[in-house]
Amino acid sequence: MNSRLPIDPSTQLPSIQSFGELNHFLRSAMADEESLQLADGMGGLSVSIEAVLIRLKPPAGPAEAATQLIDLMTTLREHRALVIGLGPAWRGLYEYASYLAALNNFRVLIGQWLLPPVQAGQGNAVLEQDIGLEDFELIAWRTLGEGMLLIDIHEQLLGQMPAESESGALDATRLDRARSWWGRLRK
């Protein structure tokens, strides 16, 4: 099996075990400029997510990680703007809409964590969602997984596109030959 990811010896499948490994993989695996920009954005997200996860270790909670969550929200917004600005080749992919939805859902989750807790009995107020560290990490991995899938599908489609044909390089000589032939035909 040929893989750009480290192989887990127990499963013989490619694996990434930390957001740092994901960041390294993304920086090394891209071929075209937009893929590289998207990978860099995802790398920035993974670094911010790792910072939040370090701050969220028990007994801490979202209140103790507010600064990192705000930084993550800023990084997420910048990355989302980059995703929205991708070319038409990206926007036509099913995975593009999935990744954009995952980014939006992740942004909502972070926003919920940044809101102050609401007490029961305050009129129409909604109680704060209790989202644990494991759930936050799961949603983060899922979001980045959607992005990796988008990049992978895009890269596969790029690999399937026919390279610039050799006939394009011969256009000038073919044109000269056609003119010569036409000139002889007209005589």
Side-chain angles (χ1 to χ4, degrees), residues 90-168:
W90 292 86
R91 290 191 300 266
L93 298 173
Y94 170 81
E95 292 78 10
Y96 174 83
S98 295
Y99 185 48
L100 201 52
L103 289 172
N104 288 334
N105 291 337
F106 194 39
R107 182 183 54 82
V108 168
L109 170 69
I110 296 166
Q112 288 174 344
W113 272 32
L114 286 170
L115 291 175
V118 177
Q119 301 297 322
Q122 289 185 348
N124 293 333
V126 177
L127 290 175
E128 175 187 16
Q129 280 191 329
D130 186 44
I131 301 170
L133 175 63
E134 300 82 22
D135 293 334
F136 181 85
E137 189 171 11
L138 178 68
I139 293 167
W141 274 112
R142 186 169 190 175
T143 301
L144 292 173
E146 291 282 349
M148 288 180 66
L149 181 61
L150 172 62
I151 291 172
D152 186 43
I153 296 296
H154 178 72
E155 294 282 318
Q156 286 181 29
L157 289 176
L158 282 180
Q160 292 175 357
M161 295 174 98
E164 188 175 321
S165 68
E166 292 180 17
S167 64

Side-chain angles (χ1 to χ4, degrees), residues 40-96:
D40 281 345
M42 288 177 61
L45 269 179
S46 69
V47 168
S48 294
I49 290 167
E50 193 79 51
V52 169
L53 289 171
I54 289 169
R55 280 301 275 178
L56 288 176
K57 298 276 183 202
E64 289 81 10
T67 302
Q68 286 80 13
L69 284 167
I70 291 170
D71 291 345
L72 176 56
M73 180 73 86
T74 301
T75 304
L76 186 61
R77 284 183 180 146
E78 292 168 357
H79 182 66
R80 185 179 175 279
L82 182 136
V83 171
I84 289 172
L86 290 172
W90 292 86
R91 290 191 300 266
L93 298 173
Y94 170 81
E95 292 78 10
Y96 174 83

